[in-house]
Amino acid sequence: MPDWLATSLITLLKAILVILGLLTGFAYMTLVERKLLGRFQLRPGPNRVGPLGLLQPVADAIKSIFKEDINVTMADKVVYTIAPIISVTFALLAFGGIPAGPAGSLFGENPWVYNLDAGLLVLLAMTSMGVYGIFLGGWASGSKYPMLGGLRSSAQMISYELGMGLSLLGVLMLVGSTRLQDIVGWQAGNGWLLLFQMLGFVLFLVSAFAETNRAPFDLPEAEQELVAGFLTEYSAIKWALYQMAEYISMFTASAMMVTLFFGGWKGPQFLNGLIPGISEWPIVWFIAKMAFFVFFFIWVKASILRIRYDQLMRFGWKLVLPLALINTVLTAFYIAYFKASWGLWPLVLGSLIGVGLLIYVSDAVRSLWNTPGIRRAEDLSPRAHTVTPANRQTLGGD
Amino acid sequence: MLLAALGIGVIAVVASALLGPKKASRAKLMPYESGNDPQHGGVGTGQRFPVHFYLVAMLFIVFDIETAFFYPLAVAYQKLLPFAFIEAFTFILLLLVGYFYVLKKKVLEWA
């Protein structure tokens, strides 16, 4: 067998393995999410199908594949069919570039499907391709709720993509490479990037929530206002493909956060004292860290209210974008003038102050950046909310 | 990877189209409108949507190009050092002028 054929066969095999892993992960993710949401709300969650509800995903999959596949009359047939495929394809594709261990650690092979020099850029490009699937699906349904859902969703995703891209510039400046392996290696030598880029991480986290349409930014799927957003006219497996894309992009976002900010597949060094070599168990650490983030996604969904659409856009454009720029400039300034004499560690203090400021600012600025024009007149007068005999009538009385 | 990922999507859609019952009726294929027949519900029927979405898309293109310019600079930053900071800062300042113009024009307000 020639060499190139063997290589490409192995790549194909790894790709299929990764995809099957992600599909299983997605199926059980739905179960885990429902179980955890149940636990958060003091109820058991699904526990009827199979022991502990473990066969629930299988039942769901069988049901959705045997359902009637409806093509709505108003739909643009071709685009309507292709859109979910685009969505799921690029969601799956993005995950293949993430390294889950050092070279050669997967039975002599490399634990990634493809590893490019511009790995980070490719990852960002793939995740942003999800916009096309969602918007085309919403448009092709030929109905107004999917159309509005798709529009909202695409505007939201492209807005937060900016924050996502800009919040990573500090990381790139420190590491000086876009290869994900190099970023992991840098963190093994210098400490997790989370420490040096805490503000960048928080902005990235927020953007990742918005980019994957997860709560509290799941407006495109706001059941109470838009039916089901771009999903309204979909049924059977096409609907399931969209759900799949959403969950897989959640996995990808978790994996990106692990790789970029949490030391990737390397475990903490001090545990080596307890069990020798434990910090070098590549895939175990990677999956453990990813699981934490996936849990975090669900935790947030269970606890935080959905925000309004204008608040969402204002938050993205007026807070995340400028703060990411400020973070970039300050990091650049530090590297340019102080790194040579003071080393990296003062950045930790700087990033802590940055996060503190973010928390303070996001609370204080909320009312400041409201547009006066769209407020009602009575909101502006300070006495409107105190009940006096004069305005008791207008407030409705008691 | 692309082949395998595309394959999964296509296989799933084809399988679902082959399996499953096929009993279409006029009411079932109607677009969703709480049980009414949406006479002017379709996209092709001249429904308009706010220009805000267009503006946001334009701004996204501008700022994403900015981001694209920053990536090579960030990667090579430590090698270009004494001068790179001034250059990057000038570029950001120029963009901030545009950003504040957009803010003052209230493009980013959703009423």
Side-chain angles (χ1 to χ4, degrees):
Chain A
M1 196 188 292
D3 212 23
W4 60 268
L5 189 63
T7 321
S8 50
L9 271 182
I10 286 171
T11 311
L12 188 65
L13 188 67
K14 278 193 292 189
I16 290 172
L17 272 180
V18 167
I19 286 171
L20 289 183
L22 282 175
L23 294 190
T24 326
F26 149 72
Y28 276 92
M29 203 45 229
T30 57
L31 177 69
V32 168
E33 175 169 21
R34 289 166 67 186
K35 278 260 181 205
L36 278 177
L37 283 179
R39 285 294 162 202
F40 283 125
Q41 297 163 0
L42 302 181
R43 58 186 172 84
N47 61 358
R48 295 286 145 167
V49 191
L52 297 173
L54 281 177
L55 291 180
Q56 183 74 44
V58 183
D60 286 341
I62 293 175
K63 186 199 74 174
S64 80
I65 208 149
F66 281 104
K67 277 189 85 163
E68 181 174 1
D69 190 15
I70 297 175
N71 282 308
V72 199
T73 32
M74 299 287 276
D76 184 322
K77 290 285 181 303
V78 180
V79 185
Y80 181 74
T81 315
I82 290 177
I85 300 180
I86 293 179
S87 203
V88 81
T89 302
F90 284 101
L92 286 169
L93 209 50
F95 200 88
I98 293 169
S105 70
L106 189 82
F107 307 114
E109 295 299 327
N110 295 332
W112 54 77
V113 181
Y114 56 87
N115 188 27
L116 305 171
D117 285 343
L120 188 56
L121 294 181
V122 173
L123 209 54
L124 285 174
M126 293 294 169
T127 42
S128 54
M129 282 298 284
V131 179
Y132 285 96
I134 285 177
F135 182 69
L136 286 178
W139 175 80
S141 297
S143 169
K144 58 188 160 193
Y145 298 105
M147 181 73 188
L148 284 173
L151 271 173
R152 273 185 171 197
S153 180
S154 51
Q156 165 186 342
M157 286 168 94
I158 62 175
S159 303
Y160 280 87
E161 229 176 278
L162 285 178
M164 211 167 180
L166 287 173
S167 61
L168 291 181
L169 288 176
V171 170
L172 289 180
M173 269 187 268
L174 284 169
V175 179
S177 165
T178 47
R179 287 187 67 215
L180 296 170
Q181 277 290 4
D182 290 350
I183 296 176
V184 174
W186 190 91
Q187 294 180 83
N190 296 291
W192 287 0
L193 269 165
L194 168 75
L195 297 171
F196 309 112
Q197 283 293 315
M198 225 171 280
L199 182 58
F201 168 69
V202 172
L203 295 173
F204 185 81
L205 183 76
V206 171
S207 309
F209 272 89
E211 184 78 6
T212 50
N213 289 329
R214 289 290 294 184
F217 304 115
D218 54 349
L219 284 158
E221 294 157 40
E223 305 91 355
Q224 295 88 347
E225 0 181 328
L226 274 180
V227 194
F230 59 94
L231 284 169
T232 306
E233 305 288 3
Y234 280 94
S235 68
I237 206 75
K238 290 178 192 155
W239 182 85
L241 284 182
Y242 271 124
Q243 292 300 86
M244 203 188 284
E246 184 192 321
Y247 278 87
I248 289 169
S249 57
M250 195 167 96
F251 285 140
T252 312
S254 318
M256 274 170 91
M257 282 187 269
V258 169
T259 310
L260 296 173
F261 294 101
F262 280 78
W265 41 266
K266 291 225 184 210
Q269 298 289 332
F270 63 87
L271 284 179
N272 277 338
L274 298 175
I275 307 166
I278 192 175
S279 74
E280 297 292 329
W281 296 351
I283 295 182
V284 177
W285 279 110
F286 186 70
I287 289 180
K289 288 176 185 175
M290 251 181 79
F292 168 75
F293 274 106
V294 170
F295 172 74
F296 185 71
F297 269 92
I298 298 169
W299 187 11
V300 169
K301 180 174 182 161
S303 1
I304 297 187
L305 297 175
R306 182 184 288 148
I307 65 176
R308 223 170 50 209
Y309 192 68
D310 61 324
Q311 291 170 338
L312 171 92
M313 297 305 274
R314 198 188 306 136
F315 188 73
W317 281 96
K318 295 189 177 173
L319 202 61
V320 175
L321 179 67
L323 276 180
L325 271 179
I326 290 171
N327 179 44
T328 309
V329 172
L330 288 183
T331 313
F333 184 66
Y334 185 83
I335 293 176
Y337 296 112
F338 296 107
K339 192 188 161 222
S341 48
W342 293 357
L344 280 171
W345 289 99
L347 264 182
V348 178
L349 193 65
S351 63
L352 257 180
I353 296 173
V355 174
L357 274 179
L358 173 70
I359 291 167
Y360 174 73
V361 161
S362 61
D363 207 38
V365 151
R366 193 172 50 198
S367 56
L368 200 71
W369 281 349
N370 261 324
T371 331
I374 63 174
R375 283 191 189 171
R376 286 173 317 201
E378 63 262 28
D379 284 348
L380 290 174
S381 87
R383 276 173 293 137
H385 298 294
T386 53
V387 181
T388 59
N391 67 3
R392 172 165 295 179
Q393 201 66 42
T394 51
L395 285 175
D398 45 8
Chain B
M1 185 81 198
L2 177 67
L3 277 181
L6 203 63
I8 290 287
V10 172
I11 288 170
V13 167
V14 169
S16 162
L18 293 180
L19 304 167
K22 285 176 199 58
K23 294 197 200 79
S25 68
R26 191 179 157 275
K28 196 187 271 181
L29 297 184
M30 212 183 263
Y32 174 84
E33 188 60 63
S34 303
N36 302 322
D37 192 352
Q39 291 296 325
H40 302 287
V43 179
T45 51
Q47 274 224 332
R48 298 190 179 187
F49 50 84
V51 74
H52 272 119
F53 293 107
Y54 179 72
L55 294 176
V56 166
M58 283 292 131
L59 286 176
F60 164 71
I61 292 175
V62 171
F63 281 96
D64 211 35
I65 290 174
E66 172 203 349
T67 321
F69 278 128
F70 267 120
Y71 274 111
L73 189 65
V75 170
Y77 187 66
Q78 304 217 21
K79 289 169 202 146
L80 305 171
L81 247 185
F83 196 52
F85 177 71
I86 315 278
E87 270 199 345
F89 195 61
T90 318
F91 185 52
I92 286 185
L93 278 185
L94 285 176
L95 274 156
L96 278 184
V97 173
Y99 178 74
F100 279 114
Y101 178 74
V102 169
L103 271 192
K104 285 289 163 202
K105 280 280 179 186
K106 296 196 165 57
V107 173
L108 301 173
E109 301 298 340
W110 295 70

